[in-house]
Amino acid sequence: MADYSSREERRRAAQASNKKNSKKKKSKKSIVKRIILVVFLLGFAGLLGGGALFAYYAAQAPELNEEDFIDPIPSQVYAMNNDVIGTIGTEDRDLVKYEDIPPLVENAVLSIEDVRFYEHKGVDAIRLAGAVLANLKEGFGAEGASTLTQQVIKNSFFEKPEQTLERKAQEAWLAFQLERKYDKEEIFEMYVNKIYYSDGTYGIKTASEYYYDVDLSELQLHQAALLAGIPQLPNTYNPYNNPDLAKERRDTVLRQMQKNGKISEQEMQDAIARDIMDGVVDRSEESGLIRNNQASSEPRYAAFIDAVITELEDKDLNPFVDGLKIYTTLDPEAQTQVENVLNGDVIDFPADMNDEQIQAGITLLDTQSGEIRAIGGGRGYGEEGRREFNYAIDSKERSVGSAIKPLLDYAPAIEYLDWSTAEILDDERGFKYQDGGEPQNYDLQFKGEITMRESIYDSRNIPAIKTLNEVGHERGGEFLTGLGFDLTEPIYESSALGVATNTVGLAGAYAALGNNGVYNEPYMVTSVEFRDGSSIDFKSESHIAMQESTAYMITDMLKDVVKNYGTAPGANVPGIPLAAKSGTTNYTDKEKQENNIPDSGAPDSWMAGYTTQYTAAVWLGYPNRKKNYMLPEERRVTQQIFKEVMQEVSSNETPDDFKKPGNVVSVDIVTGSNPPVLASKSTPADKKTTELFISGTEPTIPSTEFEEPDSDLAAPTNLQQEYDEEASSITLTWDHEQDENDDRSVEFEVSVSIDGGESQIFKTKQNGLTIEQVDEGFIYTFNVVAIAGDERSDPASITVDMILREDDEDETPPDDLDEPGDDDEPGDDEPGDGEPGDGEPGDGEPGDDEPGDDEPGDDEPG
C-alpha cells in the first residue's frame, strides 16, 4: 500500500483514481454501443442487400403458365448421330379432381410433405427456420424446406436439380405467386396429379391403379401411406425395386400421421404390421405382367431407351420431366443389327419349353470408351409398346459361370503373383473345397499338370479354384470390384466358377482387358439439355484396373478359346483379332431331382469377348430357370449370336490387333516343363511352345534334353606309325574323342596310297591298323577318317618315306597290300606272285594296262 503524508493527499489520490476508473467504464460502454450499432447497420444492410438479391433472382424466374402444372411435354432421345430415336412421357395421365380425393389420402400426403399446408402462403417460415439451422450445422442443402406449393413449382418449371440460393429464391417467389392465383384445394390437386411415382407413372390416381389395381377410394391405410411416401425418392422407394426401403418410408408416413392426430396409435401399429407387398400387383418376371416405361419409339430402339431411363434414374434424374433433350451413345446401325440377330432368322434358337420362349440379352459397347452402342433387351422386345423385363440390364442375379475365370482367378494371378501363361496347374482328381464339396470339370475328366493357358482355353474348373486360392479370396474380390462388379457377398472358393452380373457389367469388365487394363464404366447418356437451355454433361468413370501386361497376357490366352481346340470355336470371326470366353451355369443335384432335369441340362449360357474396337456380352436362357433348361448343343447358340454381332459391326473396318506392351516377352519353352525351361535349337518343334512372361521372370538357361551332338564329327588325332623291318609292316595308331552327349557308333576308314598312286581302303572300329608286306624304297601316305552314319570327319594324315637300298632301285611299287593277317593265298594279288590274272606289273598278261605295254585298250598315254 502507498504511504501518504496527510489525509488530504490520500483524498486527492482517491479522487484521481475514481476519475480514471470512470473513464474506463465510459470507454467500455461506448465500445459496446458502437458494436451494437455496427451489427444493426450490418444487419440492416444485409436485409437491404438480401432483399435486393432476392428481388434480382425473382425477376429472373419464369412466368406462371397454367398448362405447365398438368400437361406433359415429351422429352426427346437422340442417338450418337443426333437423330431422334424416341420420346419419353407421351402417355396420358389419369387425372383426379380434388373432390374425388379421399381424406385418408390427403392426410397421408400432407403429413409427410407439408403438415402446415393450409396455414402458410407458399413458404413455411417455421419449416424454413428449421432447415436454416440444419444447414448451418451440416452445410447448405442438408435439409430442405420446400412446401407442397414449392414442389408444384419445382416439378413444373425447374427440371434441372439444383440446391442454390437463386433456385430457392425463385421457387419461393413463384410459390407465393401461385398461392395468390389459386386456392389451396386447386394447388393440392395440381400436386397429386403432377407428382412422379416411378415406373413411368404420374399422378396418384394412376399410381393407385398401377401398384394396387384399385381406385383411390379403395386404398387401405398402409397402401395410401406407401403412395404418399414414394415421391420423395421415386425409384428408391419403389416396392418393386427396394421393398425394405419402401417399408421404412411407408412406416415413417404412418408415424407422422399418428403424430399429427390423423390416425390412432392402434391404427398406426396395425398398418406398420402389414407386409409392404400386401396388395401390390405382382409384376415379376414370372407373372407375365410388365412394368411401365412410358417411352415411345421404334421397337428396335425400345430396349436401349428403357436402359437410358434406368441410367438416368440411377443418377437421381427424372427422365420423365418435361421437355428434356437426352443425348446418348446409341449407334443406330449396330442397334439394328443386334435386333436382327434376336428377331430375325439368322439364329436357330432352341425351341420353347413348357410354353416359354427362350430369351437372350446383348450389350455391345465401345472397347476404348465404355460407350454402349446397342442393347438387346430380349426377343420381341418393344412389340408391346410398354416397358418389359430387359434381359440385358435387369437380370442381375444370374451367375456368368466360367466367364468369370479370366477376371477373378487368372488376371489377379498375373497381376499380383507374376504368373506366366506357362504356369503349371494340377487338374487333379479328388480335389475338394474346404467345406468338403468336390467340384468337377465339365467333361468329368482330369488332365493332370497343364499350363494356365490350357486351363483357360479348355475351361478347367479345378485349376481355376486353385488359382483363386493362391491369389486370395479378398484380393480377388478387390480386383473384381475394380472391374465394376457390385459384390453383395464375400468371395468364396466356388466364386472361382461364377459370380452374378448382367450383360452390361460383364461387357464393361471384359472391355478393360481390351483397353490395356483401363476400366471405363459403361454408359449411355452423354448429356441432358433442359428447357431453359442449361445442360449436364456425363462421362464414364475411368480408372486403371490392372497393368497393361496383365490385360495383354489374358487377351493372348483368350484368343485360344475361339480356336478349334478351345471351348468356343463357334464364336470366332475369321480375319479379326478376337479374344473371348464362354460361361455356363449348373443346377444343384437337388434342383435336378426336384425338377426332373438331366445331368447335361444347364440354366444359363454366356459369351463375352472383344476386339480393340468393340466388346460384346451375350446371355441366353429361359426366364423360368427352375424347370426350363438347355442341352449342350443348345448352349452353343450364344457363340453364334456373339459371332453374328461382332462380324456385322466389324464388317466395314477390320480392327487392329492387340499391342504387346514392352514388359511382356514371348519365349519358346519346352512343352510342359515345370518350372519353364528355355527351348534350345535342338528341341523338336512338337516339344516346344511359345508362352508369355513378365520381363525379368522368363527362363534363360536352354534345355539340354533334346540337344544334338555337334554337327562336325571330330577328326582322329595323334596319328602315329611304327615300321617293323623284320615283318615288313607298318602299324598305325591314333586317338579319337567323342562329345559326352554323342553316343553315335564311330568306325574309321584308312586309305593307303603308294607314291601318290590310287588309294586302297581299309576299315576298322579300332584305334589302330597294321599294314603288312610294306616294301622299302617307296613313299606311303596314310589318311584316317572317322565315320558316323553319313557324316565323315576331316582326315588325319601321315607320310612314310622308306629308305631305298641300292639293290632295290629297279623295283616297281606294289599296287596292292595285304590285308592285315592274310596268308598269301592264291588270288591275293600280292606283288611278284606271278599268278595269272594278277594284273601285276611285268606279268605280260593282256589287260595289264601298264605303261608301255601298248596293248589295245590301255587307255594310257602313248
Side-chain angles (χ1 to χ4, degrees):
M1 180 180 290
D3 293 330
Y4 298 101
S5 57
S6 66
R7 291 182 179 179
E8 182 64 24
E9 187 177 351
R10 179 181 296 177
R11 182 180 63 80
R12 290 176 181 174
Q15 289 177 343
S17 176
N18 289 336
K19 288 181 180 179
K20 185 176 181 182
N21 290 335
S22 177
K23 288 181 179 180
K24 286 183 179 180
K25 288 180 181 180
K26 289 181 180 180
S27 176
K28 288 181 180 180
K29 289 181 180 180
S30 177
I31 292 174
V32 171
K33 288 181 180 179
R34 289 176 183 176
I35 291 174
I36 293 174
L37 179 61
V38 169
V39 170
F40 175 78
L41 291 175
L42 288 175
F44 183 72
L47 287 173
L48 291 176
L53 184 62
F54 180 86
Y56 172 77
Y57 286 153
Q60 307 301 314
E63 293 184 5
L64 294 181
N65 186 338
E66 188 170 354
E67 292 182 353
D68 292 332
F69 298 128
I70 299 296
D71 297 335
I73 300 175
S75 296
Q76 293 182 315
V77 183
Y78 295 81
M80 62 184 292
N81 59 4
N82 289 333
D83 286 346
V84 176
I85 58 172
T87 56
I88 299 176
T90 59
E91 295 190 2
D92 294 334
R93 313 177 194 206
D94 293 329
L95 303 180
V96 61
K97 295 293 185 182
Y98 176 79
E99 55 266 24
D100 295 326
I101 301 173
L104 174 67
V105 173
E106 183 176 14
N107 289 334
V109 171
L110 293 181
S111 291
I112 194 65
E113 292 293 345
D114 192 353
V115 69
R116 284 178 290 275
F117 174 67
Y118 285 102
E119 300 169 14
H120 61 67
K121 297 298 182 181
V123 177
D124 187 345
I126 297 176
R127 190 172 184 180
L128 179 62
V132 169
L133 290 175
N135 292 333
L136 288 174
K137 292 179 180 179
E138 304 173 33
F140 186 75
E143 182 179 311
S146 296
T147 63
L148 188 143
T149 310
Q150 287 175 284
Q151 292 185 56
V152 171
I153 294 297
K154 180 169 60 176
N155 292 329
S156 301
F157 297 98
F158 300 110
E159 308 89 9
K160 185 177 180 181
E162 287 184 0
Q163 290 284 350
T164 63
L165 287 172
E166 180 179 5
R167 171 61 57 82
K168 293 302 179 183
Q170 291 177 349
E171 285 181 7
W173 171 251
L174 291 175
F176 177 72
Q177 296 297 316
L178 187 66
E179 292 267 358
R180 292 180 61 190
K181 189 172 183 179
Y182 298 95
D183 59 33
K184 290 289 186 178
E185 289 77 10
E186 290 175 313
I187 294 173
F188 184 82
E189 181 183 303
M190 292 175 187
Y191 174 83
V192 295
N193 282 312
K194 184 78 174 179
I195 204 70
Y196 181 56
Y197 287 87
S198 188
D199 275 20
T201 302
Y202 271 104
I204 198 166
K205 178 176 174 59
T206 309
S208 178
E209 294 168 350
Y210 178 74
Y211 286 107
Y212 293 108
D213 195 25
V214 298
D215 187 73
L216 282 175
S217 61
E218 301 175 75
L219 286 174
Q220 299 178 43
L221 174 58
H222 69 282
Q223 297 170 336
L226 173 62
L227 294 183
I230 286 178
Q232 186 187 51
L233 294 171
N235 301 307
T236 300
Y237 297 136
N238 184 323
Y240 296 129
N241 296 341
N242 304 298
D244 293 339
L245 294 178
K247 184 181 187 309
E248 289 181 16
R249 179 62 175 169
R250 181 202 68 181
D251 295 350
T252 299
V253 175
L254 291 168
R255 293 187 181 95
Q256 286 297 109
M257 293 180 71
Q258 191 275 331
K259 178 181 177 181
N260 297 327
K262 302 302 180 183
I263 59 175
S264 68
E265 174 74 20
Q266 187 60 51
E267 287 175 317
M268 180 190 73
Q269 294 298 340
D270 290 344
I272 287 177
R274 301 292 287 270
D275 188 277
I276 190 63
M277 302 305 291
D278 187 359
V280 174
V281 176
D282 182 10
R283 299 183 186 276
S284 64
E285 185 178 344
E286 295 79 12
S287 70
L289 297 177
I290 57 178
R291 293 175 64 178
N292 289 347
N293 70 345
Q294 281 197 316
S296 172
S297 64
E298 291 185 44
R300 59 179 171 163
Y301 301 136
F304 187 90
I305 291 178
D306 284 347
V308 165
I309 293 172
T310 299
E311 181 173 308
L312 288 173
E313 290 174 343
D314 289 342
K315 295 178 182 295
D316 292 327
L317 290 173
N318 187 343
F320 297 94
V321 169
D322 300 339
L324 299 180
K325 292 183 178 180
I326 304 167
Y327 295 91
T328 75
T329 62
L330 176 76
D331 180 345
E333 263 187 60
Q335 182 68 31
T336 300
Q337 290 159 354
V338 166
E339 294 293 341
N340 289 343
V341 169
L342 288 177
N343 301 310
D345 56 6
V346 178
I347 303 297
D348 185 16
F349 284 96
D352 295 355
M353 182 173 285
N354 294 320
D355 296 324
E356 186 174 64
Q357 183 186 53
I358 197 166
Q359 277 294 351
I362 304 172
T363 293
L364 177 73
L365 53 81
D366 184 291
T367 301
Q368 305 300 316
S369 68
E371 295 182 351
I372 297 176
R373 298 296 181 217
I375 288 286
R379 299 172 67 195
Y381 194 99
E383 293 177 357
E384 297 293 330
R386 297 176 71 84
R387 191 169 190 173
E388 305 172 41
F389 189 88
N390 192 320
Y391 291 98
I393 64 172
D394 292 335
S395 184
K396 298 180 180 180
E397 298 179 356
R398 297 210 181 202
S399 169
V400 301
S402 292
I404 202 66
K405 292 175 182 176
L407 308 174
L408 175 61
D409 309 335
Y410 298 113
I414 297 173
E415 182 81 3
Y416 303 132
L417 307 179
D418 285 343
W419 280 14
S420 72
T421 60
E423 180 74 22
I424 295 296
L425 299 164
D426 191 0
D427 182 23
E428 63 176 324
R429 184 183 301 276
F431 173 83
K432 293 183 178 181
Y433 288 127
Q434 293 177 358
D435 64 4
E438 189 168 341
Q440 299 290 327
N441 288 313
Y442 70 90
D443 56 2
L444 302 180
Q445 302 296 315
F446 301 89
K447 288 189 169 185
E449 291 191 345
I450 56 176
T451 61
M452 176 166 60
R453 180 182 294 277
E454 185 172 355
S455 298
I456 289 180
Y457 73 66
D458 198 28
S459 200
R460 312 307 290 177
N461 288 343
I462 309 305
I465 300 168
K466 289 183 174 182
T467 300
L468 178 59
N469 288 342
E470 283 288 320
V471 168
H473 298 172
E474 183 176 350
R475 192 156 56 168
E478 291 173 354
F479 189 88
L480 201 58
T481 299
L483 291 171
F485 276 73
D486 184 14
L487 299 177
T488 57
E489 59 182 23
I491 293 296
Y492 305 103
E493 281 185 291
S494 59
S495 303
L497 309 182
V499 174
T501 188
N502 56 16
T503 62
V504 174
L506 190 61
Y510 268 75
L513 297 173
N515 191 32
N516 303 317
V518 177
Y519 172 77
N520 295 305
E521 183 181 12
Y523 72 110
M524 288 167 280
V525 180
T526 58
S527 67
V528 172
E529 184 178 328
F530 303 95
R531 274 190 294 159
D532 61 2
S534 62
S535 63
I536 300 177
D537 294 329
F538 300 101
K539 289 184 179 180
S540 174
E541 293 186 10
S542 180
H543 62 264
I544 297 174
M546 69 191 85
Q547 298 181 61
E548 289 185 46
S549 51
T550 300
Y552 180 82
M553 291 168 71
I554 290 292
T555 296
D556 191 71
M557 291 185 287
L558 290 181
K559 283 184 174 181
D560 290 344
V561 172
V562 296
K563 300 204 176 148
N564 290 335
Y565 49 81
T567 55
N572 189 40
V573 181
I576 292 179
L578 176 71
K581 183 71 182 74
S582 58
T584 303
T585 60
N586 299 309
Y587 291 105
T588 65
D589 291 338
K590 182 180 180 181
E591 287 175 324
K592 290 178 183 178
Q593 287 181 343
E594 290 179 349
N595 298 290
N596 196 29
I597 295 173
D599 288 338
S600 59
D604 305 286
S605 178
W606 294 80
M607 193 72 214
Y610 51 95
T611 66
T612 52
Q613 187 175 12
Y614 290 106
T615 299
V618 180
W619 167 84
L620 181 74
Y622 290 94
N624 185 349
R625 72 178 297 277
K626 293 183 178 180
K627 294 185 177 181
N628 298 329
Y629 57 87
M630 294 173 289
L631 296 174
E633 189 62 35
E634 295 172 325
R635 298 196 291 270
R636 296 190 183 97
V637 169
T638 51
Q639 299 179 33
Q640 300 171 29
I641 295 173
F642 177 87
K643 178 179 180 178
E644 287 294 331
V645 171
M646 294 297 280
Q647 188 168 259
E648 288 299 319
V649 297
S650 304
S651 59
N652 295 330
E653 180 183 356
T654 301
D656 295 333
D657 200 354
F658 305 95
K659 186 178 180 181
K660 184 171 70 174
N663 65 332
V664 174
V665 292
S666 300
V667 178
D668 288 339
I669 65 166
V670 176
T671 302
S673 54
N674 186 22
V677 176
L678 189 67
S680 67
K681 293 181 179 179
S682 59
T683 303
D686 62 343
K687 298 293 184 182
K688 61 183 176 182
T689 53
T690 302
E691 298 291 357
L692 301 178
F693 295 80
I694 303 296
S695 181
T697 68
E698 72 275 16
T700 56
I701 301 176
S703 167
T704 59
E705 180 180 359
F706 304 100
E707 190 168 330
E708 297 177 355
D710 292 338
S711 58
D712 295 331
L713 188 64
T717 59
N718 195 27
L719 178 60
Q720 302 287 332
Q721 65 84 22
E722 184 176 348
Y723 174 62
D724 187 339
E725 185 175 0
E726 183 178 349
S728 298
S729 64
I730 295 177
T731 298
L732 302 174
T733 59
W734 59 85
D735 296 330
H736 185 260
E737 293 184 1
Q738 285 181 254
D739 189 278
E740 62 180 4
N741 295 319
D742 190 351
D743 57 357
R744 292 176 293 176
S745 177
V746 177
E747 63 178 348
F748 301 96
E749 179 184 274
V750 182
S751 64
V752 183
S753 67
I754 303 172
D755 285 349
E758 185 177 354
S759 297
Q760 287 185 276
I761 305 298
F762 305 96
K763 290 187 177 180
T764 179
K765 292 186 177 182
Q766 307 301 318
N767 284 31
L769 180 70
T770 297
I771 307 298
E772 300 190 14
Q773 297 296 322
V774 176
D775 294 327
E776 296 179 345
F778 302 99
I779 298 175
Y780 290 82
T781 301
F782 302 94
N783 290 308
V784 182
V785 175
I787 301 174
D790 295 331
E791 190 172 358
R792 299 169 62 87
S793 73
D794 292 333
S797 301
I798 190 170
T799 299
V800 180
D801 188 356
M802 305 297 291
I803 299 174
L804 297 179
R805 298 188 303 274
E806 291 182 1
D807 56 351
D808 291 332
E809 287 180 355
D810 294 333
E811 291 191 30
T812 56
D815 64 351
D816 197 6
L817 299 173
D818 273 347
E819 288 287 349
D822 70 14
D823 293 323
D824 295 322
E825 294 294 332
D828 283 349
D829 297 328
E830 289 297 315
D833 64 4
E835 292 295 320
D838 285 346
E840 291 297 316
D843 63 4
E845 292 295 318
D848 287 341
D849 293 333
E850 288 299 315
D853 63 4
D854 293 329
E855 291 293 320
D858 286 7
D859 294 330
E860 291 293 324

